[in-house]
Amino acid sequence: MAKRLIVTYALWAVGGPLGLHHLYLQRDSHALLWMLTLGGFGVGWLREFFRIPAYVRETNREAGGIRPAPAASPQVGLARFTGQVCVGIYFGSVALISLSSLRFFYLIVLPLSVGAGVHLVSCVGQQTSDLQKTLTACILTSSIFYGSRVSPLPISIAASITAAQHRRFKRVRRAGSPPEPLGPRLYRLGLALLAFSAPLGYCVFHNTTATLYYISDCVATLLDTFWFFPWLRGVVEFFLLLPYRFLCALTGGNYYEESWQRVFDILLNEYSKKETAAMKVLSVSEGATMEEITHSYRDLVKLWHPDHNLKQQEEAQQMFIKIQEAYEILLHRDRVQKSK
């Protein structure tokens, strides 16, 4: 069945950043790319306003079995190459945020993530590339820039060049053959979305405790601003507790204000313990000024920098991260105290 231009434009307008028009045109790689990048970070979606007629013609020609010969080599497009580099960096950055704690991250996980992003862009439309050679280029480049936070950039560039060198057309579908059912296509897209979002979900869950500490600190600061009007503090606290009361009503549980207050106090107490642990990491006393903390932080950063500890780089990197996190905690505490 021939695809209609007006339907494609309608889907582009309604769900373009989610790739609905590409799903309609059976361009599943392009649809997945748009789902993961929200329409090519918005830029690609806007650019497609002028490209949609060509997409519809390509899809209808492919349905009739008309396509350039498989031996022909597609041209290297600047937009595709730029997209490969950008998406490779994007996938690598997501991996750095969510999976950097894994062992062999810089040797295996990071290059595979960047390579997956580059290959996804290379498979858009009628073109594809050699996945094995692209991943090989990623692994080799990652070993050169091992441990560097900017390593997604050179890895992505090397992978994009390799993918461009080994580009080719996809196989031509036989004329008259029925299109693949929508169910299996959506199933594959769902698995790909799950593989991309699961590490981010883990990262969010892993940092939930830190988020709760920050929220509880903000709430406590907010309530302290009403110390001169106890009744106003009570009103504010009442509205802050409404979500908790609503949850109790939904679950059939009983609301106990003392229980909530106990939980609230525990959160605030745990946050103070976290500050104490941060002071131990930075080797400062509880009465240390921010200048003393900063001075100790700078000395420890120089001491534990991974570039200065090549023989124990993994241990140094973990300690370096702990020092950074401890300093951020104490810096946030200092800002809160000054705001009071």
Side-chain angles (χ1 to χ4, degrees), residues 214-229:
Y214 178 76
I215 292 175
S216 64
D217 185 56
C218 293
V219 172
T221 304
L222 175 64
L223 293 178
D224 287 341
T225 59
F226 300 109
W227 63 270
F228 49 89
F229 289 131

Side-chain angles (χ1 to χ4, degrees), residues 25-285:
L25 296 175
Q26 298 181 336
R27 299 166 57 93
D28 291 352
S29 297
H30 213 155
L32 177 61
L33 176 64
W34 257 218
M35 292 175 188
L36 298 180
T37 63
L38 292 180
F41 313 109
V43 178
W45 172 65
L46 295 174
R47 175 178 174 269
E48 283 185 331
F49 180 81
F50 306 99
R51 295 283 301 162
I52 284 178
Y55 293 157
V56 175
R57 287 194 299 269
E58 289 175 3
T59 301
N60 290 332
R61 282 201 303 264
E62 183 181 354
I66 303 173
R67 175 93 71 82
S73 178
Q75 295 181 352
V76 180
L78 178 60
R80 183 182 294 266
F81 183 82
T82 304
Q84 288 174 342
V85 175
C86 293
V87 175
I89 295 173
Y90 170 59
F91 274 48
S93 301
V94 171
L96 278 171
I97 293 172
S98 56
L99 299 174
S100 58
S101 60
L102 297 178
R103 296 185 63 184
F104 308 111
F105 172 78
Y106 286 100
L107 291 178
I108 299 178
V109 180
L110 180 61
L112 290 181
S113 301
V114 176
V118 172
H119 186 70
L120 178 59
V121 179
S122 68
C123 291
V124 164
Q126 299 176 346
Q127 298 184 27
T128 186
S129 185
D130 193 319
L131 176 60
Q132 183 177 356
K133 293 180 179 178
T134 301
L135 293 180
T136 301
C138 291
I139 293 174
L140 293 176
T141 310
S142 180
S143 62
I144 298 174
F145 295 90
Y146 181 87
S148 174
R149 290 285 178 175
V150 298
S151 55
L153 175 60
I155 297 173
S156 184
I157 292 176
S160 300
I161 294 174
T162 304
Q165 290 175 341
H166 298 88
R167 66 193 182 281
R168 64 177 185 273
F169 283 111
K170 296 177 181 177
R171 293 181 179 179
V172 181
R173 195 175 67 185
R174 294 181 180 179
S177 60
E180 185 178 7
L182 182 61
R185 292 168 54 206
L186 292 178
Y187 176 74
R188 287 197 301 269
L189 289 174
L191 289 179
L193 287 171
L194 180 63
F196 183 85
S197 59
L200 286 177
Y202 167 78
C203 181
V204 172
F205 177 78
H206 182 71
N207 292 298
T208 298
T209 304
T211 304
L212 286 175
Y213 292 154
Y214 178 76
I215 292 175
S216 64
D217 185 56
C218 293
V219 172
T221 304
L222 175 64
L223 293 178
D224 287 341
T225 59
F226 300 109
W227 63 270
F228 49 89
F229 289 131
W231 63 270
L232 185 58
R233 176 190 174 108
V235 172
V236 173
E237 191 170 4
F238 172 81
F239 283 103
L240 289 175
L241 293 176
L242 279 179
Y244 175 70
R245 293 191 177 94
F246 183 70
L247 179 63
C248 290
L250 288 179
T251 58
N254 295 322
Y255 168 71
Y256 298 102
E257 187 168 358
E258 293 182 358
S259 301
W260 164 258
Q261 191 64 38
R262 198 156 43 241
V263 173
F264 191 74
D265 293 339
I266 289 174
L267 281 175
L268 295 178
N269 186 44
E270 288 295 327
Y271 188 80
S272 63
K273 288 181 180 178
K274 193 176 181 182
E275 291 176 352
T276 304
M279 292 177 181
K280 290 182 180 179
V281 172
L282 295 179
S283 301
V284 295
S285 61

